[in-house]
Amino acid sequence: MGNRVCDALGIEYPVIQGAMAWTSMAPLVGAVSKAGGLGTLGSGFMPPEIILAQMAEVRKITDKPFASNLFIDPTPMLEPCVGAILEGKPAVAYIDSLNLLEYDFTKKYYDKFHEAGIKVVAKVNYLEDALVAAKAGADVIITKGFEGGGHVTKVSARVLLAEVVEALPDIPVVASGGIATPRQAAGLTVQGADGIEMGSAFMATQECPIHPNCKEAVVKATDRDIVAAGQSTGEPSWQIRNSLAEELIKLEADLPWSEAADKIREISQGSLRIASLEGDVDRGGVMCGQVAGLIHDIPPVEDRVVKFCKEWEELLKKQYSLF
Ligand SMILES: Cc1cc2nc3c(=O)[nH]c(=O)nc-3n(C[C@H](O)[C@H](O)[C@H](O)COP(=O)(O)O)c2cc1C
């Protein structure tokens, strides 16, 4: 029968590893792509020379397709990031946005990638964004729901997927947000998803180059341990509750939001690094989505791609009946 995501991106399994800033570095990306999924460099905040060096590292691991991330918002980061992707030519540009998509602006960048032979995967937070992305020529759309790791979005994963599948039957759609099990993936297939994306679940893998303490923190966390910090900045993110997250939440409760936002930016500066590289999971920021309670182990990446898809397909082959 074939799979529309695999066909569009030239991959074997319809599993995308979501971009994760300073987390989805070459060892993870290369391992996911080598296993047959789509690995994505968390390159949205990286200087161009690091993006190009990371792409070279991925290519030492595999010659299969991989993606590089950018945020299509009019910020000073955009042009250098686009330039590095056009120069490094990964198979796919994986495009997120912090604001609503504007058609002319979006089309201009999608066209640049397409002219360079690079496919466009658009990660959307609203149906409106999906419609703009499709009209501008996106090859694949990822619907990222509220519960997904990274920046907190607004619409639930279940609703957003259903909206996009209904409105855009001709474009491959990848469900994202809160996924860690083949049973969830099977349910999402029935709901119209052609593939799935996971971020948090890939943090807990042997090849992910973050500190072991971070991986253990993800495995230990339950749904009650995941909090949204940074509401006042307009860009809240899901984090594992620790003394840093408690401090950020208290600041927002105690101070007017404009003051809290400034303080939060100051305190959060470098906090990802403190957790991911130095392993201080109490004072560093451990970003992880609500799905933490379903992540129980730290397997090799291949299990999260190949074994996962085999179980997913087995579940779909079972005869289900309501009556
Ligand atoms: C630690 C972490 C960092 C993230 N950083 C980025 C990023 O830089 N760019 C981006 O597009 N998405 C980012 N995300 C979101 C992921 O790409 C993905 O959409 C999300 O994790 C999917 O939800 P899940 O964690 O429930 O699987 C990040 C997620 C996590 C957990």
Side-chain angles (χ1 to χ4, degrees):
M1 244 166 74
N3 175 287
R4 295 197 298 174
V5 173
C6 294
D7 293 348
L9 303 178
I11 56 178
E12 293 147 73
Y13 296 101
V15 171
I16 295 183
Q17 165 257 305
M20 294 181 281
W22 302 109
T23 298
S24 55
M25 307 290 279
L28 174 61
V29 176
V32 173
S33 287
K34 189 174 174 186
L38 185 77
T40 309
L41 278 172
S43 48
F45 303 101
M46 282 177 186
E49 61 281 9
I50 299 191
I51 299 180
L52 290 168
Q54 284 288 307
M55 288 185 194
E57 290 302 311
V58 175
R59 289 187 169 114
K60 285 185 196 159
I61 301 170
T62 183
D63 57 6
K64 292 187 183 172
F66 67 93
S68 192
N69 175 218
L70 71 141
F71 288 88
I72 194 166
D73 299 290
T75 67
M77 278 176 338
L78 178 61
E79 281 302 331
C81 197
V82 169
I85 294 175
L86 289 173
E87 187 181 335
K89 282 202 187 349
V92 178
Y94 169 111
I95 308 185
D96 197 359
S97 59
L98 298 173
N99 301 297
L100 276 176
L101 293 180
E102 197 272 313
Y103 176 73
D104 290 335
F105 193 75
T106 303
K107 172 109 171 83
K108 179 175 108 180
Y109 287 99
Y110 285 13
D111 284 353
K112 283 188 195 211
F113 291 122
H114 281 143
E115 277 155 25
I118 298 171
K119 299 278 169 106
V120 169
V121 168
K123 186 159 74 177
V124 305
N125 306 325
Y126 294 102
L127 171 62
E128 197 177 320
D129 280 342
L131 297 176
V132 174
K135 192 171 162 210
D139 298 284
V140 169
I141 287 182
I142 300 176
T143 56
K144 184 188 161 197
F146 171 78
E147 57 271 67
H151 287 120
V152 180
T153 55
K154 294 278 198 301
V155 184
S156 90
R158 219 165 34 149
V159 170
L160 186 59
L161 172 68
E163 288 182 318
V164 173
V165 164
E166 180 186 81
L168 297 168
D170 297 329
I171 192 162
V173 178
V174 171
S176 170
I179 305 168
T181 70
R183 186 173 297 281
Q184 289 176 292
L188 292 163
T189 311
V190 177
Q191 291 172 46
D194 299 286
I196 56 124
E197 169 186 79
M198 296 185 282
S200 304
F202 276 111
M203 291 174 74
T205 54
Q206 287 173 18
E207 291 88 338
C208 183
I210 53 174
H211 197 283
N213 293 354
C214 277
K215 301 183 193 181
E216 289 296 340
V218 170
V219 170
K220 271 197 212 133
T222 69
D223 51 8
R224 287 196 63 217
D225 296 319
I226 306 302
V227 293
Q231 306 278 358
S232 59
T233 63
E235 291 166 20
S237 63
W238 293 114
Q239 309 195 2
I240 296 182
R241 188 191 295 278
N242 60 9
S243 70
L244 174 74
E246 299 277 12
E247 186 183 335
L248 301 182
I249 290 167
K250 186 165 181 331
L251 275 174
E252 289 183 321
D254 293 351
L255 293 177
W257 272 27
S258 58
E259 261 181 67
D262 287 345
K263 278 221 156 32
I264 283 178
R265 285 202 188 93
E266 196 184 305
I267 297 170
S268 305
Q269 189 88 21
S271 65
L272 257 187
R273 188 190 168 81
I274 293 171
S276 304
L277 292 184
E278 294 163 23
D280 184 344
V281 292
D282 189 44
R283 288 304 303 162
V286 190
M287 281 167 74
C288 177
Q290 289 191 334
V291 72
L294 283 170
I295 302 170
H296 306 303
D297 54 1
I298 306 173
V301 155
E302 207 183 335
D303 285 8
R304 293 242 191 272
V305 180
V306 183
K307 191 167 162 226
F308 185 103
C309 285
K310 296 211 160 120
E311 288 179 27
W312 174 3
E313 199 173 35
E314 278 308 307
L315 283 162
L316 288 174
K317 278 187 192 151
K318 274 192 190 168
Q319 297 287 315
Y320 285 105
S321 166
L322 252 195
F323 303 105

Coordinates of all heavy atoms in Angstrom, one line a residue, residues 170-222:
D170 N -5.2 15.7 0.9 CA -4.2 15.4 -0.1 C -2.7 15.6 0.3 O -1.8 15.4 -0.5 CB -4.4 16.3 -1.4 CG -5.8 16.0 -2.0 OD1 -6.2 14.8 -1.9 OD2 -6.4 16.9 -2.6
I171 N -2.6 15.9 1.6 CA -1.2 16.1 2.0 C -0.9 15.1 3.2 O -1.7 14.9 4.0 CB -1.0 17.6 2.5 CG1 0.5 17.9 2.7 CG2 -1.7 18.0 3.7 CD1 0.8 19.4 2.7
P172 N 0.3 14.5 3.2 CA 0.7 13.6 4.3 C 0.7 14.4 5.6 O 1.3 15.4 5.7 CB 2.0 13.1 3.9 CG 2.3 13.4 2.5 CD 1.4 14.6 2.2
V173 N 0.1 13.8 6.6 CA 0.0 14.4 7.9 C 0.7 13.5 9.0 O 0.4 12.3 9.1 CB -1.4 14.7 8.3 CG1 -1.5 15.3 9.7 CG2 -2.1 15.6 7.3
V174 N 1.5 14.1 9.8 CA 2.2 13.4 10.9 C 1.7 13.9 12.2 O 1.7 15.1 12.5 CB 3.7 13.7 10.8 CG1 4.5 13.1 12.0 CG2 4.3 13.0 9.5
A175 N 1.2 13.0 13.1 CA 0.7 13.4 14.4 C 1.8 13.6 15.4 O 2.8 12.8 15.4 CB -0.3 12.4 14.9
S176 N 1.7 14.6 16.2 CA 2.8 14.9 17.2 C 2.2 15.4 18.5 O 1.2 16.1 18.5 CB 3.8 15.9 16.6 OG 4.7 16.3 17.6
G177 N 2.9 15.1 19.6 CA 2.5 15.6 20.9 C 2.0 14.5 21.8 O 0.9 14.0 21.6
G178 N 2.8 14.1 22.7 CA 2.4 13.1 23.7 C 2.4 11.6 23.3 O 1.7 10.8 23.8
I179 N 3.2 11.3 22.2 CA 3.3 10.0 21.7 C 4.5 9.2 22.2 O 5.6 9.8 22.1 CB 3.2 10.0 20.2 CG1 2.0 10.7 19.7 CG2 3.2 8.5 19.6 CD1 2.1 11.0 18.2
A180 N 4.3 8.0 22.7 CA 5.5 7.2 23.1 C 5.3 5.7 22.9 O 6.2 4.9 23.1 CB 5.9 7.5 24.6
T181 N 4.0 5.3 22.5 CA 3.8 3.9 22.4 C 3.2 3.5 21.0 O 2.5 4.3 20.4 CB 2.8 3.4 23.5 OG1 1.5 3.9 23.2 CG2 3.2 3.8 24.9
P182 N 3.5 2.3 20.6 CA 2.9 1.8 19.3 C 1.3 1.8 19.4 O 0.7 2.0 18.4 CB 3.4 0.4 19.2 CG 4.6 0.4 20.0 CD 4.4 1.3 21.1
R183 N 0.8 1.5 20.5 CA -0.7 1.5 20.6 C -1.3 2.9 20.3 O -2.3 3.0 19.7 CB -1.1 1.1 22.1 CG -2.6 0.9 22.2 CD -2.9 0.3 23.6 NE -2.3 -1.0 23.8 CZ -2.9 -2.1 23.3 NH1 -4.0 -2.1 22.6 NH2 -2.3 -3.3 23.5
Q184 N -0.6 4.0 20.8 CA -1.0 5.3 20.5 C -0.9 5.5 19.0 O -1.8 6.1 18.4 CB -0.2 6.4 21.2 CG -0.4 6.5 22.7 CD 0.6 7.5 23.3 OE1 1.8 7.2 23.3 NE2 0.1 8.6 23.7
A185 N 0.2 5.1 18.4 CA 0.4 5.3 17.0 C -0.7 4.6 16.2 O -1.2 5.2 15.2 CB 1.8 4.8 16.5
A186 N -1.1 3.4 16.6 CA -2.1 2.6 15.9 C -3.5 3.4 16.0 O -4.2 3.6 15.0 CB -2.3 1.3 16.5
G187 N -3.8 4.0 17.1 CA -5.0 4.8 17.3 C -4.9 6.0 16.4 O -5.9 6.4 15.7
L188 N -3.8 6.6 16.3 CA -3.6 7.8 15.4 C -3.8 7.5 13.9 O -4.2 8.3 13.1 CB -2.3 8.5 15.7 CG -2.3 9.1 17.1 CD1 -0.9 9.4 17.6 CD2 -3.1 10.4 17.2
T189 N -3.3 6.3 13.5 CA -3.5 5.8 12.1 C -5.0 5.8 11.8 O -5.4 6.3 10.8 CB -3.0 4.4 11.9 OG1 -1.7 4.3 12.4 CG2 -2.9 4.1 10.4
V190 N -5.8 5.3 12.7 CA -7.2 5.2 12.5 C -7.8 6.7 12.4 O -8.7 6.9 11.7 CB -7.9 4.4 13.6 CG1 -9.4 4.4 13.5 CG2 -7.4 3.0 13.7
Q191 N -7.2 7.6 13.2 CA -7.6 9.0 13.1 C -7.1 9.7 11.9 O -7.4 10.9 11.8 CB -7.2 9.7 14.4 CG -8.0 9.2 15.6 CD -7.5 9.7 16.9 OE1 -7.2 10.9 17.1 NE2 -7.3 8.9 17.9
G192 N -6.4 9.1 11.1 CA -6.0 9.7 9.8 C -4.5 10.1 9.7 O -4.1 10.7 8.7
A193 N -3.7 9.8 10.7 CA -2.3 10.2 10.6 C -1.6 9.2 9.7 O -1.8 8.0 9.7 CB -1.7 10.2 12.0
D194 N -0.7 9.8 8.9 CA 0.2 8.9 8.0 C 1.5 8.5 8.7 O 2.2 7.6 8.3 CB 0.6 9.7 6.7 CG -0.7 10.1 5.9 OD1 -1.2 9.2 5.3 OD2 -1.0 11.3 5.9
G195 N 1.8 9.3 9.8 CA 3.0 9.0 10.5 C 3.0 9.6 11.9 O 2.0 10.3 12.2
I196 N 4.0 9.4 12.7 CA 4.0 10.1 14.0 C 5.4 10.8 14.2 O 6.4 10.4 13.6 CB 3.8 9.1 15.1 CG1 4.8 7.9 15.1 CG2 2.4 8.5 15.1 CD1 5.6 7.8 16.3
E197 N 5.4 11.8 15.0 CA 6.6 12.4 15.5 C 6.7 12.2 17.0 O 5.7 12.3 17.7 CB 6.6 13.9 15.2 CG 7.7 14.6 15.9 CD 7.7 16.1 15.8 OE1 7.0 16.8 16.6 OE2 8.5 16.7 15.0
M198 N 7.9 11.9 17.4 CA 8.2 11.9 18.9 C 9.4 12.8 19.2 O 10.4 12.8 18.4 CB 8.5 10.5 19.4 CG 7.3 9.5 19.2 SD 7.6 7.9 19.9 CE 8.6 7.1 18.6
G199 N 9.4 13.5 20.3 CA 10.5 14.3 20.7 C 11.0 13.7 22.0 O 12.0 13.1 22.1
S200 N 10.2 13.9 23.1 CA 10.6 13.5 24.4 C 11.0 12.0 24.5 O 12.0 11.7 25.1 CB 9.4 13.7 25.4 OG 8.9 15.0 25.4
A201 N 10.3 11.1 23.8 CA 10.7 9.7 23.8 C 12.1 9.5 23.3 O 12.8 8.5 23.7 CB 9.7 8.9 23.1
F202 N 12.5 10.3 22.3 CA 13.9 10.2 21.8 C 15.0 10.7 22.7 O 16.2 10.4 22.5 CB 14.0 10.8 20.4 CG 13.5 9.9 19.3 CD1 12.3 10.1 18.6 CD2 14.2 8.7 19.0 CE1 11.9 9.3 17.6 CE2 13.7 7.8 18.0 CZ 12.6 8.1 17.3
M203 N 14.6 11.5 23.7 CA 15.6 12.0 24.7 C 16.1 10.8 25.5 O 17.2 10.7 25.8 CB 14.9 13.0 25.7 CG 14.6 14.3 25.1 SD 13.7 15.3 26.3 CE 15.0 15.8 27.4
A204 N 15.1 9.9 25.8 CA 15.5 8.7 26.5 C 15.9 7.5 25.6 O 15.2 6.6 25.4 CB 14.3 8.2 27.4
T205 N 17.0 7.7 24.9 CA 17.6 6.7 24.0 C 19.1 6.7 24.3 O 19.6 7.7 24.7 CB 17.3 6.9 22.5 OG1 17.8 8.2 22.2 CG2 15.9 6.8 22.2
Q206 N 19.7 5.5 24.0 CA 21.1 5.4 24.2 C 21.9 6.4 23.4 O 22.9 7.0 23.9 CB 21.6 4.0 24.0 CG 21.1 3.0 25.0 CD 21.4 1.6 24.7 OE1 22.2 1.3 23.9 NE2 20.7 0.7 25.4
E207 N 21.5 6.7 22.2 CA 22.3 7.5 21.3 C 22.1 9.0 21.6 O 22.9 9.8 21.1 CB 22.0 7.3 19.9 CG 22.5 5.9 19.4 CD 21.4 4.8 19.6 OE1 20.6 5.0 20.5 OE2 21.5 3.8 18.9
C208 N 21.1 9.4 22.3 CA 20.9 10.9 22.5 C 22.0 11.4 23.4 O 22.3 10.9 24.5 CB 19.5 11.1 23.2 SG 19.2 12.8 23.4
P209 N 22.7 12.5 22.9 CA 23.9 12.9 23.5 C 23.7 13.8 24.7 O 24.5 14.8 24.9 CB 24.7 13.5 22.4 CG 23.6 14.1 21.5 CD 22.4 13.2 21.6
I210 N 22.6 13.6 25.5 CA 22.5 14.5 26.7 C 23.0 13.7 27.9 O 23.2 12.5 27.8 CB 21.0 14.9 26.9 CG1 20.0 13.6 26.9 CG2 20.5 15.9 25.9 CD1 18.6 14.0 27.3
H211 N 23.2 14.4 29.0 CA 23.7 13.8 30.2 C 22.8 12.7 30.7 O 21.6 12.8 30.7 CB 23.9 14.9 31.3 CG 24.8 14.5 32.4 ND1 24.4 13.6 33.4 CD2 26.1 14.9 32.7 CE1 25.4 13.4 34.2 NE2 26.4 14.2 33.8
P212 N 23.4 11.6 31.2 CA 22.6 10.4 31.6 C 21.6 10.9 32.7 O 20.5 10.3 32.8 CB 23.6 9.5 32.2 CG 24.9 9.8 31.6 CD 24.8 11.2 31.2
N213 N 21.9 11.9 33.5 CA 21.0 12.3 34.6 C 19.7 12.8 34.0 O 18.6 12.7 34.5 CB 21.6 13.5 35.4 CG 22.8 13.0 36.2 OD1 23.0 11.8 36.3 ND2 23.4 14.0 36.9
C214 N 19.8 13.5 32.8 CA 18.6 14.0 32.1 C 17.7 12.9 31.6 O 16.5 12.9 31.8 CB 19.0 14.8 30.9 SG 19.4 16.5 31.2
K215 N 18.3 11.8 31.1 CA 17.6 10.7 30.6 C 16.8 10.0 31.8 O 15.7 9.6 31.7 CB 18.5 9.7 29.9 CG 19.2 10.3 28.7 CD 20.1 9.2 28.0 CE 21.0 9.8 27.0 NZ 21.8 8.9 26.3
E216 N 17.6 9.8 32.9 CA 17.0 9.2 34.1 C 15.8 10.1 34.6 O 14.8 9.6 35.0 CB 18.0 9.1 35.2 CG 19.1 8.0 34.9 CD 18.5 6.6 34.8 OE1 17.4 6.4 35.4 OE2 19.2 5.7 34.2
A217 N 16.0 11.4 34.5 CA 14.9 12.3 35.0 C 13.7 12.1 34.1 O 12.5 12.1 34.7 CB 15.4 13.8 34.9
V218 N 13.8 11.9 32.8 CA 12.7 11.7 31.9 C 12.0 10.4 32.3 O 10.8 10.3 32.4 CB 13.1 11.7 30.5 CG1 12.0 11.2 29.5 CG2 13.6 13.1 30.0
V219 N 12.8 9.3 32.5 CA 12.2 8.0 32.8 C 11.5 8.1 34.2 O 10.4 7.5 34.4 CB 13.3 6.9 32.8 CG1 12.8 5.6 33.4 CG2 13.8 6.7 31.4
K220 N 12.1 8.8 35.2 CA 11.4 8.8 36.5 C 10.2 9.7 36.6 O 9.3 9.5 37.4 CB 12.5 9.4 37.5 CG 13.4 8.4 38.1 CD 14.0 9.0 39.4 CE 15.4 8.3 39.5 NZ 16.5 9.3 39.8
A221 N 10.1 10.7 35.7 CA 9.0 11.7 35.8 C 7.7 11.1 35.5 O 7.5 10.2 34.7 CB 9.3 12.9 34.8
T222 N 6.7 11.5 36.3 CA 5.3 11.1 36.0 C 4.5 12.3 35.4 O 5.1 13.4 35.3 CB 4.5 10.8 37.3 OG1 4.4 12.0 38.0 CG2 5.3 9.8 38.1

